[in-house]
Amino acid sequence: MRLRDLPHPDPGEPDTRSGPRFLLWLFRRQLRGQAKALSWGVLHMGAVACLPVAVGAAVQAAVEASAAGLVRAGLLLAGIGLMMAVADTMLHRSAITNWITAATRVQQVLARRTAHLGAALTRRVAAGEVVKVSTGDVEKIGWLVESASRFSAAVIVAGAVCTALVLHEPRLGLIVLLGILAVMLTVFPLVPAATRRADRERARSGHAAELASDTVAGLRVLRGIGGEELFLDRYRRASEEVRAASVHTARMWSLIDALQVLVPGALLLVVVWQGYRLAETGAITPGELVTVYGTVLFLLFPLRLFQEGAMAWAFSRPAARRAVRVLSMRRGDAPATDTPAGDDVAGPAAPALHDPLTGLTAPAGLLTAVVCGDTEGAEGLAARLGGHPPEEDDGVPTPSVEIDDRPARGLPRALVRATVLVQDKDPVLLSGTLAELLDVPASGRVTPEAALTAASCSDVLDSLAHTSPEAAHDPLLGRITERGRSLSGGQRQRLALARSLLTDPPVLVLDEPTSAVDAHTEARIGAALRGLRAGRTTVVLGSSPLLLEHADRVVLLLDGRVAAEGTHGDLWGNTPRYRAVVGRDTGLDAPVRPDVRTGPRTGSVHVEENA
């Protein structure tokens, strides 16, 4: 696999039964690259292992005053050096290619699973964990893939060198073999403990970063209630925990590094002393003594690679488990992308929606308001109406929403997304100009000016004009900061509503679109929404009378099922449970208050000024 061929045409279907099985699947998908890197690694380390032999031959030639021997040793050293340079370059190139190839494959399967799950993903796992898996964990998994070839080459060459030492000089060979085992037994058992400490440090660091982000995001509110010191103390404590965890981790890694110097150093002293005694008795020549000394020095290099491999394995296992947790999630229905497109949804300009789970029906071309007795029910309903996978009930998928009497799970996903647009309760505004914010796929029926007017964004345009000089002549050039932090919550909400109205989808689902605006603005938005969405299917989730009075029909959901439906005026006058939810009454049978009257046409609720 070449880097220019990335991304993969087909990343494959991962084995998500466990973290190690996922890593094994990843290795199997690039056996050719691993074999290539292993070959170059063996060649490189074999050349390094031959250096002591060439140096020993040169020393022995100098002792014997052999010019021909020195020439041969010099040529041998030159050849070994050239081989080392070429093999090292190709090993590095192959290993990094394996790293990037594996990381890209993991990111592709994660992106595919994330897109497949949609909004259901963040209901099962935190968004921060998804980001952590797709960034830091992918890097750790790639590290294991990249280091595997060097680790395997080190095992092969180190085993061959130890075997040669034992066969050539049994006493020195056994000393070296026992010394290597001592290094492994003293260092490697400490790596998992160091990894656990590093994981705790990262967890505390993430908690501190989350506190800092929350504090910055809510700074205005904190200043208003005098809560800066409270949050500052919390962040100080979190920072102190991070510092303590970092010191705790550093001590363990320092111990590992110290042992890697102490034990091999002691081994080197023992080998040199024993080799000196053998050379003194004439059992080995001075050149052979230099060869043995150089060989022991070489074996310290594979030991470093052994440690790197152990660290990569220790770090990648939890990373693979987190990746498998996301990749093993399944939608409650079969993938819709494999379903033939078939005919388009009947009446794409204004299809009807029906949710079998709640019994809710949103007729085609009408504005339907839905009043839910609980917030979680409203969020789940909005997700289902948007065609997102319903949650499974004891392993059995719940019924899918129907678009013009056809289940959404039986329709191509692209068609469902083009038909139904859901605006979340907390929409996100990205940084950029207002023109860039409104640069969304649209039908062209609604202009940006009409969408901004319907969303009552005149004060937002004035605010952007004051903060962006270039917006004085063209309001669409006004700049929006990250997540719209320079705007109030109501202004952000109205800009998001304008963006949704500009898209002009056949079906628009709005979850509490005016929860952060004042009553007068809410009334204007309700009236404009009905006019701008005429002939389109619109579903508004909320309980504000100022919106409900503009709806063609209102549906009351209690305990996850339709309890009543009609106009706002009819339900207010005849359904006590509806009054209890909309009027915030404490009793279900609360009577209509004498200071509340019902509008003659729409059934709107008016509160007298002296109320």
Side-chain angles (χ1 to χ4, degrees):
M1 186 73 184
R2 296 171 299 180
L3 295 182
R4 65 172 63 98
D5 297 328
L6 297 177
H8 301 278
D10 178 19
E13 190 63 30
D15 188 342
T16 58
R17 288 176 291 178
S18 65
R21 288 179 182 271
F22 173 72
L23 294 173
L24 182 60
W25 169 83
L26 200 60
F27 276 98
R28 289 203 306 266
R29 294 291 295 185
Q30 52 184 81
L31 287 177
R32 183 177 179 181
Q34 289 293 334
K36 184 178 180 181
L38 176 61
S39 301
W40 286 115
V42 171
L43 184 60
H44 170 253
M45 296 200 66
V48 176
C50 290
L51 271 178
V53 178
V55 173
V59 170
Q60 188 61 32
V63 170
E64 297 175 355
S66 172
L70 281 174
V71 171
R72 287 194 299 270
L75 293 175
L76 181 60
L77 283 172
I80 292 175
L82 179 61
M83 184 184 299
M84 287 173 53
V86 174
D88 191 23
T89 301
M90 298 306 298
L91 169 62
H92 182 74
R93 182 183 179 90
S94 303
I96 295 301
T97 300
N98 288 337
W99 183 343
I100 298 176
T101 302
T104 303
R105 190 183 303 278
V106 176
Q107 287 178 329
Q108 283 186 253
V109 295
L110 283 171
R112 185 175 62 183
R113 179 59 54 191
T114 302
H116 184 64
L117 291 171
L121 176 62
T122 53
R123 292 197 296 267
R124 303 182 193 180
V125 63
E129 183 172 348
V130 178
V131 174
K132 183 177 181 180
V133 170
S134 61
T135 54
D137 288 342
V138 167
E139 182 179 353
K140 294 180 180 64
I141 294 172
W143 180 28
L144 176 66
V145 173
E146 183 261 344
S147 64
S149 55
R150 294 200 304 271
F151 175 82
S152 302
V155 171
I156 293 173
V157 176
V161 170
C162 288
T163 301
L165 276 176
V166 171
L167 294 177
H168 180 69
E169 180 52 55
R171 285 174 289 183
L172 285 177
L174 290 176
I175 291 175
V176 171
L177 189 60
L178 292 176
I180 291 177
L181 291 176
V183 173
M184 297 177 64
L185 292 177
T186 53
V187 173
F188 288 178
L190 300 178
V191 174
T195 305
R196 289 192 296 269
R197 294 188 182 189
D199 287 339
R200 286 195 293 268
E201 178 190 355
R202 284 192 295 271
R204 287 176 171 81
S205 178
H207 176 62
E210 182 180 351
L211 283 178
S213 177
D214 290 343
T215 303
V216 172
L219 193 57
R220 293 181 181 177
V221 178
L222 291 175
R223 286 176 175 173
I225 63 176
E228 302 100 316
E229 287 299 327
L230 174 63
F231 269 73
L232 186 58
D233 290 340
R234 291 176 59 187
Y235 184 72
R236 284 196 186 104
R237 290 195 297 269
S239 299
E240 181 62 26
E241 291 177 356
V242 173
R243 185 197 65 79
S246 300
V247 172
H248 197 53
T249 303
R251 288 173 178 169
M252 181 59 72
W253 289 117
S254 298
L255 176 60
I256 292 176
D257 289 340
L259 288 175
Q260 280 196 312
V261 174
L262 177 63
V263 180
L267 170 63
L268 193 61
L269 288 175
V270 173
V271 169
V272 170
W273 174 251
Q274 182 65 21
Y276 167 75
R277 292 179 60 187
L278 292 175
E280 188 179 31
T281 59
I284 60 176
T285 64
E288 290 175 332
L289 175 60
V290 172
T291 299
V292 172
Y293 175 78
T295 301
V296 175
L297 285 179
F298 159 77
L299 289 175
L300 300 183
F301 176 49
L303 287 177
R304 286 285 182 179
L305 295 179
F306 293 164
Q307 182 200 2
E308 181 191 7
M311 290 174 58
W313 170 250
F315 277 103
S316 65
R317 280 196 306 168
R321 284 198 300 267
R322 286 189 289 265
V324 164
R325 182 186 175 192
V326 176
L327 293 172
S328 61
M329 293 180 183
R330 294 291 183 268
R331 293 176 59 173
D333 53 335
T337 52
D338 299 331
T339 305
D343 299 329
D344 289 342
V345 179
L353 284 185
H354 176 68
D355 180 23
L357 189 63
T358 61
L360 169 69
T361 298
L366 297 182
L367 173 59
T368 302
V370 182
V371 178
C372 296
D374 62 282
T375 305
E376 292 183 0
E379 294 177 354
L381 176 61
R384 287 196 302 277
L385 293 179
H388 293 296
E391 297 291 341
E392 295 185 356
D393 185 11
D394 296 331
V396 179
T398 53
S400 169
V401 68
E402 297 175 359
I403 304 177
D404 274 348
D405 299 325
R406 297 177 64 182
R409 71 167 55 131
L411 298 172
R413 189 184 309 164
L415 178 60
V416 175
R417 291 178 175 175
T419 304
V420 184
L421 172 66
V422 179
Q423 178 178 303
D424 294 333
K425 183 180 299 183
D426 300 314
V428 176
L429 302 182
L430 301 179
S431 60
T433 64
L434 181 57
E436 292 171 338
L437 175 70
L438 299 179
D439 185 15
V440 293
S443 67
R445 191 177 73 98
V446 179
T447 64
E449 293 75 15
L452 291 169
T453 301
S456 193
C457 292
S458 58
D459 63 317
V460 183
L461 299 180
D462 293 339
S463 175
L464 293 177
H466 283 91
T467 56
S468 303
E470 60 272 15
H473 302 290
D474 185 358
L476 294 181
L477 296 179
R479 297 202 64 82
I480 301 172
T481 58
E482 179 191 5
R483 292 183 174 268
R485 298 192 190 280
S486 60
L487 304 174
S488 66
Q491 290 175 327
R492 292 195 297 268
Q493 194 174 58
R494 281 177 282 154
L495 279 182
L497 176 60
R499 180 176 57 186
S500 300
L501 294 175
L502 176 63
T503 303
D504 190 38
V507 180
L508 177 60
V509 180
L510 302 172
D511 187 4
E512 296 280 2
T514 58
S515 59
V517 303
D518 59 78
H520 296 288
T521 304
E522 189 174 25
R524 290 196 300 269
I525 291 175
L529 181 64
R530 181 188 179 110
L532 192 68
R533 292 288 299 171
R536 299 289 200 182
T537 304
T538 308
V539 180
V540 179
L541 306 180
S543 58
S544 171
L546 296 172
L547 285 180
L548 298 175
E549 66 177 355
H550 294 288
D552 295 303
R553 59 195 302 276
V554 181
V555 178
L556 173 65
L557 290 184
L558 293 176
D559 299 326
R561 297 292 300 175
V562 173
E565 53 185 307
T567 65
H568 169 64
D570 293 340
L571 292 176
W572 182 270
N574 303 321
T575 309
R577 303 188 75 181
Y578 178 79
R579 291 198 304 272
V581 176
V582 176
R584 308 296 196 272
D585 290 331
T586 56
L588 291 179
D589 298 323
V592 179
R593 299 190 303 271
D595 57 348
V596 176
R597 57 184 175 87
T598 303
R601 181 179 63 83
T602 61
S604 60
V605 178
H606 302 277
V607 182
E608 302 296 343
E609 291 182 358
N610 59 0

